[in-house]
Amino acid sequence: MMPFYHATYASRLPSIMREGLKPNAPKHWSFSREAVYLAEDIHVAFDFADTSDCTEEDYNSGIVVLELLGVPDNFYLEPDKNLPEDSECYEYHGVISPMYISKIMTELSV
């Protein structure tokens, strides 16, 4: 199974590890739908967080990338409607439990 990646901010990690990834908690793009956004490419996930409309406090806490080994239910997984179909980016319309997080990365090697 190919992993998914979700980038977020270090300031959000304690809540994520307690409650999981929740759809748009909080919303970082004006066009976002109620979803957890995932990418097949780690660098794409990082770039989404790097360019989001987040608070300065979140951004300054640092970007972390979470590697997920699957999602709880593929029924709630669909292509990201904001991007071309071949983008390999997805929306997950449900909560992703912390047990699906296999790795937390604070630095990316190119």
Side-chain angles (χ1 to χ4, degrees), residues 11-26:
S11 60
R12 303 266 165 81
L13 209 47
S15 171
I16 290 169
M17 296 312 291
R18 270 191 325 272
E19 302 168 22
L21 290 165
K22 295 180 176 182
N24 286 69

Side-chain angles (χ1 to χ4, degrees), residues 29-65:
W29 302 94
S30 60
F31 53 81
S32 292
R33 295 165 20 108
E34 288 293 317
V36 175
Y37 287 89
L38 306 172
E40 289 184 9
D41 183 295
I42 190 171
H43 295 95
V44 169
F46 181 91
D47 289 346
F48 282 142
D50 194 34
T51 59
S52 80
D53 298 329
C54 68
T55 66
E56 187 175 339
E57 180 182 338
D58 282 337
Y59 190 82
N60 289 339
S61 73
I63 296 172
V64 294
V65 179

Side-chain angles (χ1 to χ4, degrees), residues 4 9 19 24 44 51-52 68 72 85 91 95 97 100 108:
F4 293 109
Y9 306 95
E19 302 168 22
N24 286 69
V44 169
T51 59
S52 80
L68 308 172
E85 280 189 39
E91 299 175 357
V95 176
S97 164
Y100 286 87
L108 299 183

